Amino acid sequence: MNRSTLKQALENADLTTYEADAYLTLVDYGRLPAVDVAKKSDVPTTQVYDTLRSLESKGFVDTIDRDRLHAEPSDPVDILAHLRKRGELFTDAAEELEDRWEQPELKDHRVGVVKHADTVLEHVRNQIRETDVAVEVALTADQFESLRTELYSAVDRGVIVHVAIYYESGLTERSESWDLSRTNLEVRLVNIPGPFISVLDRSRTYFAPNSRAAENYGILINDNILSFINHWYYQTCLWYPWESLASRQELPKPYISLKEFIRDISSLHHSGGNVAVTISGIDVAADEFRTVTGTVTEIYYPDVINDDSPSLEQLSTYAVVTLDTGGAELTVGGWGAVFEDIEAQKIILEAISFDDVVQS
């Protein structure tokens, strides 16, 4: 590498043009009086003293005050470490710029693929801040802790957050430091390994393999239909079969899925229970978001049974709840409702009463 290229590299490592020139002069000649540094370089005599003092403050040179100021290059151990660190920074920056350049813009594409799983987590972090209704996410404990601030902020905004965490040794003890008592937050423990997956507000899905993948990659999806497919996978494989890490029995209880709500309250309703609920979702006819409160008067799904909770198979096609709001009866369907009055997105089980005895 010639001197001019080396000088440019030092400038890229936070030295000024004068500092880089003076430092290379001292490396070439060893200890010199300040006036000789100016003579053997392009540093003006009026600038050389300030330049050498600045280099000393950065650890590049040592100065000696005699009858006149002398300077010599410092031991290069720290300087070499600084240069190598800067080189790593530039390399990382280049890779990040490459990823961002190649990263798809999801406003224009429904599905995009990225090279690194960390890119997926960063997308999720940003999008959680914009969620209004619901977050479903399956992830490792490390990933949960990385996203915990954003997830808790979403809960505090009234977003329902469901978290499925993959089991690992020591997880129970580790979770004791997590605040899992928030009303809109539920965390379940999944005893098999699986991928990172998140479905946000029924419209965006993010996927990255956590294990058993031949390469590191991530998938970004901005599509309602594909998000519904991933939601159903999440519900059936990563949510329904598993127990809560921190069980909450008191009401009100929030739900993302109408079908999960039906599974929980069906036997109570058919036993004569009065189920009070608040449902937020899309008014199908008006295509507007609305919230209604009432009592469940009927539950319908294929092969309806009246004395037990329905199976996932029975609920896999369609399910409808009829709600008495006091002034009218409204039918409520799940994700993708077409014929019902309301497409439920957020369900809050408010209270259950039997013969004037209320559970709340």
Side-chain angles (χ1 to χ4, degrees):
M1 181 182 293
N2 60 39
R3 193 181 193 278
S4 62
T5 303
L6 184 55
K7 179 172 174 288
Q8 184 178 8
L10 290 172
E11 292 173 11
N12 289 336
D14 299 331
L15 297 189
T16 67
T17 298
Y18 288 160
E19 288 171 347
D21 196 3
Y23 178 68
L24 287 177
T25 298
L26 291 171
V27 170
D28 291 339
Y29 291 95
R31 181 184 298 181
L32 288 173
V35 293
D36 288 350
V37 173
K39 290 177 182 178
K40 296 180 182 296
S41 68
D42 293 328
V43 181
T45 303
T46 56
Q47 299 288 328
V48 71
Y49 290 95
D50 289 340
T51 299
L52 292 174
R53 293 296 188 192
S54 178
L55 282 170
E56 183 178 38
S57 70
K58 295 177 179 179
F60 277 69
V61 305
D62 297 317
T63 61
I64 305 98
D65 280 315
R66 294 180 176 174
D67 53 334
R68 52 183 179 169
L69 185 70
H70 289 65
E72 62 183 8
S74 301
D75 188 316
V77 172
D78 292 338
I79 300 164
L80 295 176
H82 173 75
L83 292 174
R84 291 185 176 114
K85 185 176 181 180
R86 292 289 294 183
E88 293 173 1
L89 176 64
F90 290 138
T91 299
D92 292 344
E95 291 179 354
E96 177 65 19
L97 286 172
E98 181 183 23
D99 284 346
R100 289 176 181 247
W101 176 259
E102 295 178 352
Q103 182 175 302
E105 175 53 65
L106 287 187
K107 292 180 181 178
D108 302 321
H109 301 84
R110 293 191 177 186
V111 180
V113 179
V114 295
K115 292 182 177 180
H116 303 293
D118 288 345
T119 306
V120 173
L121 261 68
E122 197 58 34
H123 269 276
V124 171
R125 187 188 318 281
N126 293 331
Q127 287 300 318
I128 286 175
R129 299 180 184 129
E130 306 297 326
T131 53
D132 297 314
V133 178
V135 172
E136 296 171 295
V137 60
L139 69 187
T140 65
D142 285 343
Q143 291 166 341
F144 172 70
E145 291 184 342
S146 173
L147 297 174
R148 185 166 44 167
T149 298
E150 288 75 20
L151 291 170
Y152 284 0
S153 295
V155 168
D156 293 341
R157 294 196 309 271
V159 176
I160 298 176
V161 176
H162 283 180
V163 180
I165 295 185
Y166 299 114
Y167 174 81
E168 60 185 58
S169 178
L171 180 62
T172 302
E173 293 77 10
R174 185 175 181 178
S175 68
E176 291 175 357
S177 64
W178 302 340
D179 180 8
L180 304 181
S181 62
R182 301 171 186 234
T183 300
N184 288 328
L185 173 68
E186 185 174 358
V187 178
R188 296 192 180 183
L189 182 60
V190 181
N191 288 330
I192 56 174
F196 175 91
I197 185 170
S198 182
V199 181
L200 307 180
D201 278 353
R202 300 192 172 195
S203 60
R204 292 177 179 266
T205 299
Y206 301 89
F207 173 92
N210 277 323
S211 60
R212 295 181 292 179
E215 57 184 308
N216 191 6
Y217 69 94
I219 301 175
L220 318 176
I221 298 172
N222 180 17
D223 182 82
N224 292 347
I225 296 175
L226 293 175
S227 291
F228 173 74
I229 294 170
N230 282 279
H231 159 77
W232 190 241
Y233 162 72
Y234 182 92
Q235 290 285 307
T236 56
C237 297
L238 303 175
W239 193 251
Y240 286 149
W242 309 105
E243 297 295 329
S244 293
L245 189 59
S247 180
R248 293 182 67 257
Q249 300 297 328
E250 68 273 14
L251 299 180
K253 181 177 180 179
Y255 293 85
I256 292 173
S257 166
L258 182 69
K259 294 176 180 180
E260 183 181 8
F261 168 73
I262 290 173
R263 290 190 75 200
D264 280 2
I265 62 95
S266 182
S267 60
L268 296 171
H269 166 71
H270 291 304
S271 298
N274 299 307
V275 179
V277 63
T278 297
I279 296 179
S280 301
I282 302 298
D283 184 306
V284 175
D287 194 25
E288 295 176 350
F289 195 85
R290 67 181 292 196
T291 298
V292 295
T293 298
T295 303
V296 174
T297 59
E298 185 180 0
I299 299 172
Y300 181 78
Y301 49 86
D303 300 322
V304 63
I305 51 178
N306 295 327
D307 58 356
D308 202 358
S309 296
S311 67
L312 288 178
E313 181 181 4
Q314 289 171 295
L315 296 174
S316 63
T317 52
Y318 63 89
V320 181
V321 167
T322 302
L323 201 65
D324 182 358
T325 64
E329 282 198 338
L330 299 174
T331 55
V332 180
W335 191 335
V338 175
F339 302 107
E340 294 77 24
D341 297 310
I342 304 290
E343 177 193 336
Q345 295 187 356
K346 182 190 295 186
I347 305 105
I348 307 297
L349 175 57
E350 303 284 3
I352 303 169
S353 64
F354 290 90
D355 300 325
D356 298 326
V357 177
V358 179
Q359 298 180 13
S360 61

